[in-house]
Amino acid sequence: MSVENQAIFITGRFRSGTSFLWQLFDQLDGYCAWYEPLHPQLLAAINHIQPKQDHVGIQDYWTTYRQHPGFEKYHDMSFATQNLYLEANDDEARLAAYINQLIELSGDEVPVLQFNRVDFRLPWLRANFPNAKIIHIARNPLQLYHSQRKHINSACRHDVNYWDAYELLPWCYALSNEFPFLLKANSKHAFYPFYALYQLSNRVAEIYADVSINLDKHVFQSDEFIAKLSQVVKLNDQQKHHIKTLTHVPDFPLFNDELTDELSVLMTEVDLELTSSGLMDHFAQWPLSKIKQQYQSYWRKHTAGTGCYQQLLLHIHQLNSEMTRILAENDAIKKQLHCLQDQIEVMKNKAPTNHE
């Protein structure tokens, strides 16, 4: 079997345990593990982003990229913000070329790509890489929500318009053409769109993942994740023992009854929305166009016909343009810095030494 056929893709929402799975393969011989290859600031991150404190045991995310710099000419920051929803027949040749390049650069080792931005692209990923193994990981939605928002001041933590570190609002805007309810006007609580994305992400994984791991049940509360991994990769006893030692159980947050009740109400509201739209039963099984056709009574109210919706689309376009501008500006600053460093090195080399 060729290395390409053995490629492993890790997928899950931000803070669901994808970094933990990546670390397991990164520390095993015979695997070439790539961390967040769709990170929008990947080229800068390699030089500046250090492991998070709660990523216990991880020393460096970016070693593989430094060892294989050929990835740079294929990477594009737009992979993180555009076309976040892809169906099997969609044409995304540049992204396919980038992933193929990472696989090729892995050489004789098994390529392992850890993603936080492909869960709504799994139909496309499966169609373009049919022999790859897809490992999905999820966790309790309340724990996951807390983990994504805990860095935010408590006064703003549940504000849907407050931009967190895990791109909740940008994702809502980027996917609003397909799923307009993510920007539901009467929902001010960040948990509403968070849980909608969570549910849809899990629905796709149920169809396309080769194995699904629950971080709480299979990692924190047992060692069952080892048996699940063994369904798609060959692990000897020594490797199983080693990855078991890498497990770290964090302190769990306490949720007061008032917040738990509030989030439970929102979960029910989201589930009803997904059921009414046809997404709960058919998402990732039917094309989105078919779902919208079969559930016209729900989707009709979201069609682009009203002035409010047109204004929303304009706002989305403006926001995407601004995000693109900021990313391009940051990239230009990085390139300027590299040029300056190169100039300094040239000047140093030309400078006379003390003994001349």
Side-chain angles (χ1 to χ4, degrees), residues 39 43 48 59 127 163 176 188 198 230 261 287 297 314 325 346:
H39 193 294
L43 303 185
H48 302 293
Q59 302 298 319
W163 286 39
S176 60
K188 301 297 183 181
Y198 171 88
S230 297
D261 290 343
S297 59
L314 177 61
R325 183 195 66 78
V346 171

Side-chain angles (χ1 to χ4, degrees), residues 60-325:
D60 188 353
Y61 298 129
W62 318 111
T63 302
T64 301
Y65 294 94
R66 298 191 190 97
Q67 293 173 341
H68 306 286
F71 79 94
E72 293 186 13
K73 63 180 180 180
Y74 288 88
H75 176 265
D76 192 313
M77 63 180 65
S78 67
F79 294 153
T81 58
Q82 298 177 17
N83 299 324
L84 295 181
Y85 175 79
L86 290 174
E87 294 185 346
N89 295 325
D90 287 334
D91 181 15
E92 188 53 64
R94 293 186 308 114
L95 179 57
Y98 175 52
I99 294 174
N100 273 314
Q101 177 68 1
L102 298 182
I103 291 173
E104 182 178 336
L105 289 172
S106 300
D108 294 332
E109 296 183 309
V110 177
V112 180
L113 280 61
Q114 176 259 327
F115 294 113
N116 293 120
R117 297 173 174 87
V118 299
D119 38 2
F120 292 92
R121 298 162 167 169
L122 289 186
W124 174 88
L125 199 66
R126 173 61 76 198
N128 284 270
F129 300 91
N131 297 312
K133 298 297 184 181
I134 299 176
I135 302 174
H136 171 251
I137 187 165
R139 68 187 299 190
N140 178 286
L142 300 187
Q143 301 284 5
L144 185 60
Y145 177 72
H146 171 79
S147 186
Q148 288 188 10
R149 307 286 290 188
K150 64 184 179 181
H151 63 286
I152 300 174
N153 182 287
S154 58
C156 304
R157 186 165 297 157
H158 306 302
D159 183 354
V160 71
N161 293 311
Y162 195 97
W163 286 39
D164 64 15
Y166 300 100
E167 305 172 13
L168 176 60
L169 195 57
W171 270 65
C172 291
Y173 281 115
L175 291 169
S176 60
N177 189 49
E178 290 85 7
F179 314 112
F181 53 81
L182 292 174
L183 296 177
K184 194 171 181 178
N186 62 357
S187 177
K188 301 297 183 181
H189 201 295
F191 188 78
Y192 182 94
F194 159 85
Y195 187 67
L197 292 172
Y198 171 88
Q199 285 287 67
L200 292 175
S201 175
N202 287 341
R203 288 291 179 276
V204 185
E206 288 173 4
I207 306 299
Y208 290 98
D210 293 286
V211 62
S212 289
I213 295 172
N214 182 286
L215 186 66
D216 304 288
K217 179 181 178 181
H218 301 142
V219 179
F220 294 155
Q221 299 171 12
S222 72
D223 296 323
E224 193 174 343
F225 74 97
I226 298 177
K228 285 185 167 289
L229 288 176
S230 297
Q231 296 175 21
V232 294
V233 297
K234 293 181 179 179
L235 298 171
N236 59 42
D237 290 341
Q238 183 178 2
Q239 290 173 320
K240 291 178 182 179
H241 174 74
H242 178 65
I243 64 177
K244 182 178 179 180
T245 65
L246 299 177
T247 304
H248 169 73
V249 181
D251 295 328
F252 295 108
L254 297 176
F255 294 89
N256 60 53
D257 291 340
E258 182 179 356
L259 177 59
T260 302
D261 290 343
E262 183 181 14
L263 299 185
S264 296
V265 169
L266 289 170
M267 284 193 287
T268 300
E269 184 180 346
V270 169
D271 288 342
L272 289 173
E273 186 98 44
L274 297 181
T275 300
S276 299
S277 66
L279 294 170
M280 186 69 82
D281 294 327
H282 305 296
F283 187 56
Q285 295 177 313
W286 294 358
L288 189 55
S289 59
K290 180 179 179 179
I291 295 175
K292 292 183 177 182
Q293 177 66 28
Q294 294 294 321
Y295 290 81
Q296 290 185 47
S297 59
Y298 171 86
W299 291 97
R300 188 177 295 116
K301 63 184 178 181
H302 294 298
T303 56
T306 65
C308 290
Y309 194 78
Q310 293 290 357
Q311 291 177 5
L312 176 61
L313 291 178
L314 177 61
H315 180 57
I316 293 169
H317 175 73
Q318 292 171 339
L319 180 64
N320 285 336
S321 297
E322 180 64 9
M323 289 176 61
T324 300
R325 183 195 66 78

